[in-house]
Amino acid sequence: MARAPSSIVIFLRQSPYSTLQNSSTQIRKLTVEPKYFEFTNEGIKPNQNHEVPQSKDQHFTDIVREVTLIMRTKSKWEQSLLSDFPSSNFSDPQFFLQLLKQQNDAFLSLKFFHWLRSRSNFVPDQVSCKVLFDSLLEANACNAAKYFLEVSGFIPEQGSLERYICCLCDGGMVQDALGVLVRFKDVGICPSIVTWNSALRGCLSIGKTDLVWKLYHDMLESGLVADIETVEYLIRAFCSDGQFMKGYELLRQVLENGLVPRNIAFNALISGFCKQKNFVRVSELLHTMIAKNCAPDIYTYHEVINGLCKNKMLLESLRIFYDLKDRGYAPDRVMYTTIIHGLCEKGWLRDAQKLWFEMINMGILPNEYTYNSLINGTSKRGYFKEAMKLYDEMHDKGYGENTASYNVMISCLCLHGRTNEGFELFEKMAQKGISRDVISYNAVIRGFCEKGKIVESKNLLNELLAHGIQPSTSSYFPLIKKLFEVGDMKEAKRLWNDMQNKGLKPKAHHYDNFITALCIQGHVIDGLDWLAVMLKNKLRPEKATVKRLIQCLSQYERVSIKSQDRSCRG
C-alpha cells in the first residue's frame, strides 16, 4: 500500500480518532490442522472420512468460507466460534482480510471486528482496516464508520477520508463532516471539488445557508475553482435566503459562459418567483430551460402549479395540468394532491372528486395529505357524513396519526356544531403525544365561541399562550367578536389591544365585524371610532358596514331629536 503523505499523517495524529494501539504487539500466525470440517447436529466437526490431503492455502480458504457461512446462519456464533475451530488463530491479519473479502457484508465484518477486539491479542492492521472502512462508506454506514475510526485507531488515506466526509454529509452528520474538513484546512491540504460540493449540499440539506457561504469562501481561499455543481448549490442557497434575484443573476452569468445547471437550480428559482407572484420571470425561466435543452420535468411543473394554486390562480394551474397530460406527462401523487387541494379550497368539490377517482384508477393511491384536502373540502361544502367516511377510511389505511390530520377533523366537527366531539379529539392529541399547534387551538376556540362558551374559549387562549405557541388573529378574533356581541366591551378591547401588542394586525373584515357588532349593541359612536381607525390603517370597509353605520346614525339622530323635544316640553 502506498504511503500517505506526511501532512496527512500529521493531520490524523491530531485527529481525535487516532487511538491506534502499539503496533509492536506480537501477532500469532494462523495455524490449522490439515483437515476438512463438516456441519453436524452437534456443531462443526472434522470430517474424518475425507483423507485427501490439501495445501495449506486451500485449507485456509476453506476455513474462512466456513466461518463466513456460520456468521450468516448462526445467531450466536460468537459464543462457539473458538470451540468450533480450536486450532485457528483468528487474530491473524491475513485471516481477517480474507474474511472481509469473503463476507462482502460491511456490518457482519464490523461485528467480527468487535468480536476480535474483545480478545487482548488482536491488533488490526492498516490494510484490513482500509478494506473494512471503505466497505462501511460504500454501505453509507456513516455512524458505523465514525465509531470504527474512534475505536480502531485506523489512519485513512486522503481518498478514504474524503469519501468519509461525503458519507457523513449524505447521512445528515454535517457538523462531523465539517470538523474533518477543517482539519484538512489546518494542515494545508485542499480536498477535491467533489468533497467541497458534498459539504455544500449537506449544509443546504439542514438549512444552514450561513455555512454554505462560509464554505464557499474557504473553498475560494484554497484556490479551488467552482464547477457547475457548486453554482447549483449557490443558487439554491440564494433562494433559501429569499434572495431570488441574486440567484437569477448568478444563473444568467453561468448561462452566458456556456454552462447549464441541472433542473434543480431552475426549480428553486421558479419556486421562489412563484412565491413573489412574479410569473413573468417564471415564464422566462421555462423558456430558457427549453432553449438550453434542459427540458422542464414533472418537478418543474409541480413548482409552477403549486405556485399558481397558492396565489389563487386555479384556472391557470388547471390549464397547465391538463396540458401536461395531453403532452404525455404522467402527473404524480404530489401534483394530483396539489390540484385537488386547490379545487377544494375554491369549493369545486365535484371536480376534486373526479380527479380523486382518476388518480386511483391510474394506480396512484392517495396519502394523508390527499385525504385531508378532500375531507376539508367535503366538510366545508356541508357533507359531514362523507367527510367522516373519508376520515375513517384514512385511518383504516394507517394514516392520520399526526397534527395536520387531527386539525382537519377537529375543524370539521366544530364547523358542524359538534364542538364537544372536536374538543375530545383535541384532548386525545395530548394523550397520544401528538403536538397541538395554533390551528388546533383556533379550531376549538372558534367552536366554543359559536356555542357561547366564552370562559372555555378564554381558557384555551390562555393555555395556548402559556405553552409558548405563537397566536394568530384567528386565536383572538372569534372571542373578541363574541364579547362584542354580549356587550362586554371592556374585555373585548383588552383582548384587541393584547392582540396588537403581539404584532398581530387585524384585517379589514375584522373591523367590519366589530363595527357591525357595535351597531347592533347600539354603540354607534364607538362604531364611528373603529371606522376612523380602519381608515387610518388604509383599510377599506365593506359597503354593508358603511350602510349599517349610516342607518344606525340616522336612528341615533331621531332618538336624540325626540329626547330634546321631550326636554323642551318638560
Side-chain angles (χ1 to χ4, degrees):
M1 181 180 68
R3 290 178 58 84
S6 58
S7 53
I8 288 288
V9 176
I10 294 170
F11 155 64
L12 288 164
R13 285 175 180 168
Q14 295 172 345
S15 170
Y17 306 136
S18 298
T19 56
L20 185 62
Q21 302 176 32
N22 185 355
S23 59
S24 62
T25 305
Q26 295 296 319
I27 303 174
R28 292 182 298 169
K29 297 296 182 180
L30 177 70
T31 56
V32 295
E33 296 179 8
K35 298 177 181 178
Y36 277 105
F37 290 83
E38 63 179 348
F39 290 95
T40 68
N41 293 333
E42 292 78 20
I44 298 176
K45 293 183 177 181
N47 185 351
Q48 302 293 342
N49 297 324
H50 203 294
E51 299 178 356
V52 179
Q54 282 189 299
S55 67
K56 184 177 179 181
D57 290 341
Q58 180 61 44
H59 194 59
F60 183 89
T61 303
D62 288 342
I63 290 181
V64 170
R65 187 180 295 113
E66 290 177 11
V67 170
T68 301
L69 182 60
I70 289 172
M71 290 175 62
R72 289 180 179 276
T73 57
K74 198 171 182 179
S75 59
K76 297 181 180 180
W77 54 265
E78 300 98 321
Q79 300 176 5
S80 60
L81 197 58
L82 288 177
S83 59
D84 289 340
F85 298 90
S87 302
S88 300
N89 179 13
F90 298 114
S91 298
D92 190 312
Q94 287 301 314
F95 185 90
F96 186 42
L97 185 60
Q98 284 277 351
L99 184 131
L100 290 175
K101 294 177 180 178
Q102 287 274 354
Q103 190 70 262
N104 196 27
D105 185 315
F107 296 99
L108 277 177
S109 299
L110 183 61
K111 190 174 182 181
F112 187 78
F113 172 81
H114 286 313
W115 178 74
L116 287 175
R117 281 190 66 247
S118 65
R119 306 180 65 201
S120 60
N121 62 341
F122 174 69
V123 178
D125 68 297
Q126 290 288 300
V127 176
S128 299
C129 285
K130 182 183 186 310
V131 174
L132 178 54
F133 183 65
D134 287 347
S135 66
L136 290 170
L137 299 181
E138 190 175 344
N140 292 319
C142 49
N143 277 302
K146 179 184 175 183
Y147 179 70
F148 176 72
L149 285 181
E150 291 172 348
V151 301
S152 68
F154 169 54
I155 303 176
E157 296 175 337
Q158 181 175 343
S160 295
L161 211 55
E162 290 195 42
R163 289 196 296 276
Y164 177 52
I165 292 173
C166 297
C167 182
L168 288 171
C169 290
D170 292 340
M173 301 172 65
V174 181
Q175 292 295 342
D176 292 282
L178 296 182
V180 180
L181 198 60
V182 166
R183 293 297 181 87
F184 273 102
K185 181 182 177 182
D186 291 344
V187 297
I189 298 174
C190 181
S192 67
I193 188 66
V194 174
T195 305
W196 284 104
N197 284 340
S198 181
L200 291 171
R201 183 175 65 250
C203 293
L204 274 176
S205 69
I206 61 172
K208 293 288 187 179
T209 54
D210 55 328
L211 293 179
V212 171
W213 301 117
K214 183 181 182 305
L215 275 176
Y216 180 60
H217 178 265
D218 292 343
M219 191 181 86
L220 293 181
E221 277 193 339
S222 69
L224 203 62
V225 179
D227 63 6
I228 190 61
E229 187 176 344
T230 314
V231 173
E232 290 174 6
Y233 298 137
L234 298 182
I235 291 173
R236 290 170 59 189
F238 275 128
C239 292
S240 295
D241 289 339
Q243 300 182 33
F244 306 113
M245 280 308 300
K246 287 187 176 181
Y248 175 75
E249 290 301 325
L250 179 57
L251 174 66
R252 290 284 300 271
Q253 289 177 28
V254 297
L255 289 175
E256 289 173 2
N257 292 328
L259 299 174
V260 182
R262 293 174 300 175
N263 284 24
I264 191 169
F266 283 98
N267 294 350
L269 287 168
I270 287 171
S271 177
F273 285 126
C274 283
K275 291 175 183 176
Q276 294 183 337
K277 302 181 182 181
N278 191 345
F279 291 102
V280 173
R281 193 72 72 190
V282 170
S283 178
E284 179 189 335
L285 285 167
L286 289 171
H287 283 90
T288 301
M289 292 178 74
I290 295 170
K292 297 295 182 180
N293 293 321
C294 183
D297 54 26
I298 196 69
Y299 303 105
T300 309
Y301 286 113
H302 176 261
E303 293 294 345
V304 177
I305 289 174
N306 187 47
L308 289 169
C309 286
K310 285 185 176 180
N311 287 288
K312 313 298 182 184
M313 300 171 71
L314 182 60
L315 289 176
E316 290 83 351
S317 65
L318 283 171
R319 181 181 60 80
I320 294 175
F321 177 75
Y322 287 113
D323 183 57
L324 284 174
K325 290 172 63 179
D326 292 340
R327 287 160 54 193
Y329 282 85
D332 59 5
R333 182 165 56 186
V334 176
M335 187 173 287
Y336 269 107
T337 300
T338 302
I339 293 292
I340 289 171
H341 178 77
L343 290 167
C344 289
E345 287 291 301
K346 191 75 171 178
W348 297 355
L349 184 60
R350 185 170 295 178
D351 295 290
Q353 291 172 331
K354 181 180 177 182
L355 281 184
W356 170 277
F357 290 114
E358 177 185 299
M359 178 180 70
I360 294 173
N361 289 335
M362 291 180 63
I364 304 173
L365 298 179
N367 60 12
E368 58 189 295
Y369 301 105
T370 326
Y371 271 105
N372 286 337
S373 296
L374 196 58
I375 290 169
N376 192 41
T378 305
S379 171
K380 286 181 178 179
R381 293 292 292 173
Y383 302 113
F384 178 74
K385 289 183 178 179
E386 289 79 356
M388 287 297 298
K389 183 179 178 181
L390 283 168
Y391 183 75
D392 292 337
E393 182 181 310
M394 178 177 68
H395 270 269
D396 289 342
K397 292 185 177 180
Y399 298 132
E401 292 299 316
N402 56 48
T403 303
S405 297
Y406 270 90
N407 286 349
V408 167
M409 203 59 227
I410 290 170
S411 298
C412 174
L413 289 166
C414 293
L415 181 66
H416 290 272
R418 304 173 71 157
T419 305
N420 289 335
E421 293 176 54
F423 183 66
E424 287 177 8
L425 272 185
F426 178 82
E427 292 286 276
K428 188 180 290 185
M429 290 176 73
Q431 296 168 7
K432 290 187 173 183
I434 300 171
S435 61
R436 300 182 292 198
D437 59 12
V438 65
I439 299 174
S440 318
Y441 278 94
N442 289 354
V444 185
I445 289 172
R446 183 176 63 251
F448 277 142
C449 284
E450 289 175 356
K451 291 290 185 181
K453 297 183 177 182
I454 295 176
V455 174
E456 289 85 347
S457 297
K458 287 174 68 175
N459 289 340
L460 281 174
L461 177 61
N462 291 332
E463 182 181 313
L464 179 151
L465 298 173
H467 287 165
I469 300 173
Q470 178 62 35
S472 66
T473 53
S474 297
S475 308
Y476 284 90
F477 173 65
L479 189 52
I480 294 172
K481 181 183 177 183
K482 179 57 65 174
L483 289 168
F484 269 123
E485 289 175 0
V486 300
D488 193 347
M489 311 299 293
K490 183 178 179 181
E491 182 63 11
K493 289 180 180 179
R494 185 190 72 78
L495 287 177
W496 178 272
N497 292 331
D498 185 47
M499 179 177 69
Q500 290 190 308
N501 290 336
K502 286 183 168 56
L504 301 173
K505 295 183 179 180
K507 296 180 181 179
H509 71 272
H510 293 149
Y511 283 96
D512 287 320
N513 279 277
F514 298 155
I515 293 170
T516 301
L518 287 167
C519 289
I520 292 172
Q521 293 292 326
H523 301 285
V524 185
I525 304 302
D526 287 331
L528 284 172
D529 291 339
W530 282 100
L531 179 63
V533 173
M534 188 177 184
L535 295 173
K536 183 180 178 181
N537 290 326
K538 298 181 179 180
L539 296 174
R540 185 176 180 178
E542 293 180 358
K543 289 183 180 180
T545 305
V546 177
K547 185 178 180 180
R548 179 179 285 276
L549 197 54
I550 292 172
Q551 290 174 345
C552 290
L553 280 170
S554 300
Q555 186 179 359
Y556 178 76
E557 288 178 359
R558 287 196 297 269
V559 172
S560 298
I561 292 172
K562 288 181 180 178
S563 298
Q564 290 175 4
D565 288 344
R566 291 194 190 97
S567 298
C568 292
R569 290 170 186 171

